[in-house]
């Protein structure tokens, strides 16, 4: 695999070893201190985008990152399909292993410490045997990160976790081997008394093991989510064709798509994907480009027209000359757009990490001050160390470790029951300030499939007969408009009659004979070619349908125009109500689509949206989101197609319809399984409610710690008080989180939210 062109002065580095958002901030700070270097580091994607002057080399950048205590390497070029990093996968599996083993060992340790009836003779030594692997091996990620931070003069929550659990464990060793805690029959009576002690009879093994396990659970959930960071790109590139039929010397040869070169002629049969961007040289057909462009009506193509790779040939055989292949195709460029949008997204630091910037140094300073004070006061070394260690233990973030994961677990669990899948905690923060919601049209506000809207018969004609004749002929075509007519005819007029002499007039329509009657169905040009005159009343009906953004199809039988059929991508029945609910949440709706302006305005008027942006390409969608963000708006985007993926990633909050493509789902932050737009309002409400619970949990977790620190500093913190305070704060956090189980959808939204259907893969991991 080739490496990036480093002469451009801009590279992307893959950063390893970061454990929290403050790590990313440290790497970014160090890189930006270099002369001529501008860097942004994203903790979520573990990447750094760096621009540098001529006198700086990529090796210099990598060396700077490594001096900061992290690893860095150049990101490979994207020609090849990206694969999940093996080391990353192994890291998640190792974390899972640490969590499972630590949980099995910690449960009996905590139970014995908290339930006096379980404290048999020598129970403390069994606790030591079980807790030691948890603290040393299970907590290794925290100890390693704390050591890295220490070497570079920094302190994070990892520092406090490592110091707190290490202090609790080492003090327990002191009490067991040099104090009185190791004597037979030692117990921890369940009494809450405030008294000064030298700590020689106290063990804190349950605190050390319990905190380590709780925080490992949070770290595993986070790592599992991050492992899927590249899933959107892999899914996007998987949309492309895998093989292509190349035409060389008049012979068709099937080859892997990566062997296709610019200038090659390749054949695309009906139903096949186009292997590359190119120009049609032979044949005529309709190409379904809705996944890439969002345009609901398939595009008719003929020799000389350009076509785009990964779109689907819905009609006849085409021969195409390749103009852009591999990394130069529009599909590959969209993959880069998605990635750039994800990288450019400002990282959202965890609330606990933000506070830790102040909390950790303060706790460390208080522990040192406590040690110094009691030594100076002549209380003796054991009593001084007891007080200092108690400060570290009570400040160790047990409830903090539970605050985010428990609320997230309950919130995402409730969301999954309602068909709302939430990726992670950073998603919740995005919902807080959202004030604008951008809605894709095709498949989001509308059904995404063509349906018959109206039949206008000519004077003296029967509408059902006109539809039956048209449906019979259209049944021979694979064109989406034809399928809509045929389905409607079968539904309204019964079984379709057989057709003979069927012929497809490229770009104009179809003809056939039904019960001896010659029937034409298509554009006005098809009727004009055969000498059929269209009366003024049908021309007016055709113009009115097109003015409303519908596709008008003329029907003629035995040389006489019989009627007009209006076909359109129908608006979902619930979309207008969904827009009203979003407005009630304080959001300003915007309709954004690649479809034509007439269609877009008609749909917007029907659902109650004032602001419309139409006829935009996928990269333009990203620009529209950026423009809105540049105006100071915080933007949510709702979409379902490949063409929405980059915009979903760029938006402050991306919501994907679960009925859409996996690419859109992977690039989004929230997924609405049912594909009902009303669920978007409930998703934002649930996310905001979950965030409020997390903030409440964090406040009370810090409050318990802060309230107990003065007791620890004065040396009055009895181990049972410490244990009870820690247990109570944890129970409070869990109980507060469980309130989310009572979250209910808005009245009338019962059909919009539902449990994930059995057998459907949850495309977004509920972290």
């Amino acid at each position: 695999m080739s490496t990036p062109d480093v002469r451009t002065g801009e590279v992307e580095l893959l950063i390893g070893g970061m454990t929290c958002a403050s790590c990313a901030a440290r790497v970014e700070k160090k890189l930006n201190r270099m002369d001529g270097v501008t860097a942004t580091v994203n903790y979520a994607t573990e990447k750094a985008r760096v621009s540098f002057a001529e006198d700086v080399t990529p090796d210099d950048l990598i060396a700077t990152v490594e001096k900061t205590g992290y690893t860095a390497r150049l990101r490979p070029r994207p020609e090849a399909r990206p694969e999940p990093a093996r080391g990353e996968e192994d890291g998640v599996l190792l974390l899972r292993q640490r969590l499972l083993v630590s949980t099995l060992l910690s449960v009996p340790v905590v139970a014995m410490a908290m339930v006096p009836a379980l404290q048999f003779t020598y129970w403390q030594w069994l606790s030591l045997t079980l807790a030691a692997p948890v603290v040393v091996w299970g907590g290794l990620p925290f100890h390693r990160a704390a050591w890295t931070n220490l070497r570079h003069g920094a302190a994070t929550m990892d520092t406090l976790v490592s110091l707190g659990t290490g202090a609790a464990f080492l003090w327990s060793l002191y009490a067991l081997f040099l104090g009185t805690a190791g004597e037979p029959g030692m117990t921890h009576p369940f009494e809450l008394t405030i008294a000064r002690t030298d700590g020689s009879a106290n063990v804190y093994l349950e605190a050390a093991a319990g905190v380590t396990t709780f925080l490992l659970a949070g770290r595993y959930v986070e790592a599992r989510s991050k492992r899927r960071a590249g899933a959107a790109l892999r899914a996007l590139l998987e949309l492309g064709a895998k093989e292509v039929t190349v035409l060389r010397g008049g012979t068709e040869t099937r080859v892997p798509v990566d062997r296709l070169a610019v200038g090659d002629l390749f054949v695309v049969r009906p139903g096949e994907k186009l292997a590359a961007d190119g120009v049609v040289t032979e044949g005529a057909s309709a190409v379904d480009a809705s996944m890439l462009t969002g345009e609901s009506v398939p595009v008719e193509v003929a020799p000389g027209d350009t076509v785009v790779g990964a779109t689907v040939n819905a009609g006849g055989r085409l021969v195409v000359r390749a103009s852009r292949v591999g990394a130069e195709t529009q599909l590959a460029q969209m993959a880069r757009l998605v990635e750039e949008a994800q990288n450019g997204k400002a990282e959202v630091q965890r609330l606990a990490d933000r506070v830790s910037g102040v909390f950790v140094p303060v706790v460390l300073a208080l522990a040192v001050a406590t040690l110094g004070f009691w030594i100076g006061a002549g209380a003796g070394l054991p009593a001084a160390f007891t007080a200092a260690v108690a400060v570290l233990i009570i400040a160790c973030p047990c409830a903090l470790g539970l605050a985010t994961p428990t609320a997230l677990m309950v919130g995402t669990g409730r969301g999954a029951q309602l068909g709302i899948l939430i990726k992670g905690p950073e998603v919740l923060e995005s919902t807080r300030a959202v004030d604008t919601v951008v809605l894709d049209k095709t498949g989001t506000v509308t059904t995404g499939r063509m349906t018959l809207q109206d039949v206008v018969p000519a004077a003296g004609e029967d509408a059902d007969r006109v539809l039956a004749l048209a449906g019979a002929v259209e049944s021979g075509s694979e064109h989406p408009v034809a399928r809509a007519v045929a389905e409607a005819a079968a539904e309204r007029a019964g079984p379709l009659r057989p057709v003979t002499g069927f012929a497809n007039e490229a770009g104009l329509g179809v003809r056939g004979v039904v019960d001896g009657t010659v029937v034409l169905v298509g554009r006005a040009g098809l009727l004009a070619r055969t000498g059929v005159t269209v009366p003024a009343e049908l021309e007016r009906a055709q113009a009115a349908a097109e003015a409303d953004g519908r596709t008008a199809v003329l029907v003629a039988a035995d040389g006489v125009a019989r009627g007009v059929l209006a076909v359109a991508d129908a608006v979902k029945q619930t979309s207008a109500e969904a827009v009203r609910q979003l407005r009630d949440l304080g959001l300003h709706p915007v309709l954004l689509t690649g479809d034509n302006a007439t269609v877009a305005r008609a749909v917007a008027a029907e659902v109650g949206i004032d602001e419309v942006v139409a006829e935009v390409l996928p990269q333009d969608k990203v620009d529209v989101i950026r423009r809105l963000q540049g105006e100071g708006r915080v933007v949510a985007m709702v979409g379902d197609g490949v063409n929405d993926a980059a915009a979903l990633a760029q938006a402050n909050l991306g919501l994907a319809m679960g009925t859409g493509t996996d690419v859109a789902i992977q690039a989004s932050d929230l997924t609405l399984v049912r594909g009902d737009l009303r669920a978007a309002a409930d998703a934002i409400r649930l996310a905001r409610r979950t965030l409020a619970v997390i903030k409440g949990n964090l406040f009370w977790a810090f409050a318990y710690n802060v309230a107990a620190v003065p007791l620890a500093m004065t040396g009055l913190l009895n181990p049972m008080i410490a244990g009870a305070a820690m247990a109570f704060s944890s129970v409070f956090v869990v109980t507060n989180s469980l309130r989310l189980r009572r979250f209910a959808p808005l009245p009338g939204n019962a059909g919009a939210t539902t449990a994930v259907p059995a057998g459907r893969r949850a495309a977004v991991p509920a972290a």
Side-chain angles (χ1 to χ4, degrees):
M1 186 177 289
S2 57
T3 56
D5 182 359
V6 296
R7 295 170 298 174
T8 61
E10 182 170 301
V11 294
E12 211 167 59
L13 299 177
L14 304 180
I15 310 293
M18 296 191 295
T19 59
C20 64
S22 54
C23 296
R26 194 172 313 119
V27 174
E28 188 173 299
K29 194 184 208 178
K30 289 281 187 184
L31 286 171
N32 283 323
R33 279 183 183 167
M34 298 174 68
D35 291 335
V37 172
T38 304
T40 55
V41 180
N42 190 311
Y43 168 58
T45 59
E46 296 186 330
K47 289 174 186 168
R49 184 176 291 278
V50 190
S51 302
F52 53 92
E54 289 182 6
D55 55 345
V56 179
T57 68
D59 289 338
D60 296 333
L61 302 174
I62 291 172
T64 299
V65 174
E66 288 176 346
K67 282 178 191 167
T68 314
Y70 305 92
T71 63
R73 60 189 175 90
L74 287 171
R75 180 187 181 278
R77 285 181 77 91
E79 272 86 352
R81 298 178 189 274
E83 295 295 334
R86 184 70 214 169
E88 191 180 309
E89 202 168 307
D90 290 343
V92 176
L93 291 174
L94 180 57
L95 255 181
R96 181 170 177 267
Q97 193 178 48
R98 285 187 202 278
L99 174 60
L100 291 174
V101 173
S102 297
T103 302
L104 289 172
L105 296 178
S106 296
V107 169
V109 174
V110 174
M112 285 188 288
M114 293 298 172
V115 183
L118 298 178
Q119 294 170 5
F120 57 88
T121 308
Y122 297 119
W123 70 273
Q124 67 273 43
W125 294 102
L126 177 60
S127 287
L128 174 64
T129 305
L130 296 174
V134 177
V135 177
V136 177
W137 176 75
L140 190 59
F142 305 108
H143 305 319
R144 191 184 290 132
W147 173 244
T148 300
N149 293 329
L150 178 63
R151 280 170 36 220
H152 297 90
T156 64
M157 273 297 171
D158 286 322
T159 308
L160 198 54
V161 171
S162 183
L163 275 177
T165 56
F169 184 69
L170 292 174
W171 194 256
S172 299
L173 291 180
Y174 161 78
L176 286 168
F177 288 99
L178 301 177
T180 58
E183 295 177 357
M186 186 280 281
T187 60
H188 270 177
F190 195 83
E191 58 183 24
L192 299 178
T193 58
I194 296 178
R196 192 168 292 127
T197 171
D198 66 2
S200 62
N202 303 328
V203 291
Y204 298 92
L205 293 168
E206 79 285 356
V211 169
T212 299
T213 302
F214 281 136
L215 296 178
L216 271 176
R219 183 66 56 86
Y220 168 67
V221 165
E222 180 181 31
R224 190 181 60 176
S225 274
K226 283 172 64 180
R227 184 179 64 175
R228 292 165 169 82
L233 304 179
R234 290 193 293 275
L236 191 51
L237 290 176
E238 283 301 315
L239 281 177
K242 308 298 184 298
E243 291 186 326
V244 57
T245 303
V246 180
L247 194 62
R248 289 174 181 155
T251 304
E252 296 184 7
T253 309
R254 196 80 173 160
V255 299
V257 73
D258 55 10
R259 288 174 56 188
L260 184 68
V262 172
D264 281 349
L265 291 173
F266 64 93
V267 177
V268 191
R269 294 181 177 83
E272 288 185 342
K273 291 179 183 176
L274 276 75
D277 299 356
V279 178
V280 177
T281 63
E282 184 183 322
S285 180
V287 174
D288 183 357
S290 59
M291 288 207 314
L292 283 175
T293 66
E295 191 167 350
S296 51
V297 181
V299 180
E300 304 286 348
V301 295
D305 291 334
T306 58
V307 287
V308 178
T311 55
V312 179
N313 178 15
R317 177 182 181 272
L318 294 175
V319 178
V320 180
R321 186 178 301 280
S323 59
R324 290 188 296 184
V325 299
E328 300 306 315
T329 63
Q330 187 172 328
L331 179 69
Q333 289 171 4
M334 286 177 63
R336 283 198 290 277
L337 274 174
V338 172
E339 185 168 34
E340 283 168 12
Q342 288 176 335
N343 285 339
K345 203 182 222 178
E347 75 252 20
V348 183
Q349 297 185 349
R350 298 286 177 104
L351 293 174
D353 281 324
R354 278 190 217 159
V355 182
S356 72
V358 177
F359 186 67
V360 175
V362 168
V363 169
L364 295 178
L366 290 176
V368 172
T370 301
L371 179 66
F373 174 81
W374 286 112
I375 291 175
L381 214 54
F385 270 109
T386 298
V389 169
V391 170
L392 290 175
I393 292 171
I394 196 62
C396 193
C398 176
L400 278 177
L402 285 171
T404 299
T406 53
L408 196 61
M409 205 178 303
V410 179
T412 54
R414 180 58 180 151
Q417 288 177 338
L418 299 173
I420 300 166
L421 306 178
I422 303 173
K423 265 192 181 173
E426 63 279 359
V427 173
L428 308 177
E429 290 203 86
S430 302
T431 65
R432 177 180 48 188
V434 165
D435 54 29
T436 301
V437 58
V438 176
L439 305 173
D440 168 56
K441 181 187 74 68
T442 308
T444 302
V445 175
T446 66
T447 60
R449 55 192 297 271
M450 306 300 284
T451 54
L452 182 69
Q453 301 289 301
D454 196 12
V455 180
V456 181
E461 297 290 339
D462 178 66
D464 286 345
R465 180 174 181 273
V466 171
L467 179 59
L469 289 172
V473 179
E474 292 279 43
S475 65
S477 172
E478 289 300 311
H479 195 290
V481 171
R483 286 202 300 267
V485 172
E487 287 171 7
E491 188 177 322
R492 279 176 55 173
L496 298 176
R497 282 174 276 181
V499 60
T500 57
F502 175 83
N504 188 353
E505 301 285 343
L508 293 175
V510 294
R511 67 171 69 228
V513 179
V514 180
D515 295 339
T517 301
V518 178
V519 180
L520 304 176
V521 185
R523 298 182 179 179
L526 177 64
L527 274 65
R529 181 188 288 183
T530 53
V532 177
T533 302
V534 180
E537 59 180 306
L538 292 186
E539 286 183 340
R540 286 194 296 271
Q542 179 186 3
E546 290 172 349
D548 289 339
R550 299 173 177 179
T551 298
V553 179
L554 290 161
V555 182
D558 285 337
V560 178
R562 307 288 181 175
V564 174
L565 309 179
V567 178
D569 180 9
V571 173
K572 293 178 182 176
Q573 293 180 350
T574 58
S575 290
E577 173 64 13
V579 170
R580 187 191 63 76
Q581 291 177 0
L582 291 169
R583 284 188 187 277
D584 290 345
L585 287 173
L587 305 178
H588 171 69
V590 178
L591 188 69
L592 179 64
T593 179
D595 218 336
N596 71 71
T598 303
V599 174
R601 281 195 294 270
V603 171
E606 189 171 339
V607 299
I609 297 176
D610 303 320
E611 189 173 347
V612 178
V613 184
E615 299 178 11
V616 289
L617 297 172
Q619 56 267 35
D620 296 330
K621 286 192 174 187
V622 177
D623 292 338
V624 171
I625 300 294
R626 286 184 183 142
R627 174 176 62 78
L628 293 171
Q629 290 169 331
E631 294 171 1
R633 301 201 214 178
V634 182
V635 182
M637 166 80 185
V638 188
D640 76 321
V642 173
N643 60 305
D644 303 317
L648 286 167
Q650 176 64 38
N652 301 85
L653 178 69
L655 297 93
M657 294 294 188
T659 50
T661 64
D662 279 353
V663 179
I665 290 169
Q666 293 288 358
S668 69
D669 302 308
L670 289 163
T671 299
L672 314 175
V673 171
R674 274 292 296 273
D676 189 320
L677 190 56
R678 288 178 300 171
D682 284 324
I684 291 174
R685 288 176 56 245
L686 174 61
R688 287 179 177 176
R689 183 82 56 83
T690 306
L691 176 64
V693 169
I694 288 176
K695 291 171 73 176
N697 285 350
L698 290 171
F699 171 79
W700 286 109
F702 273 113
Y704 282 118
N705 285 359
V706 170
V709 165
L711 276 179
M713 291 178 68
T714 55
L716 297 175
L717 193 65
N718 178 286
M720 285 313 298
I721 293 180
M726 193 171 286
F728 183 69
S729 65
S730 299
V731 168
F732 176 86
V733 161
V734 172
T735 305
N736 192 40
S737 299
L738 288 173
R739 292 189 303 121
L740 287 167
R741 293 170 64 182
R742 298 199 298 270
F743 175 85
L746 288 167
N749 278 12
T753 52
T754 183
V756 179
R760 176 178 172 85
R761 173 178 56 84
V764 178

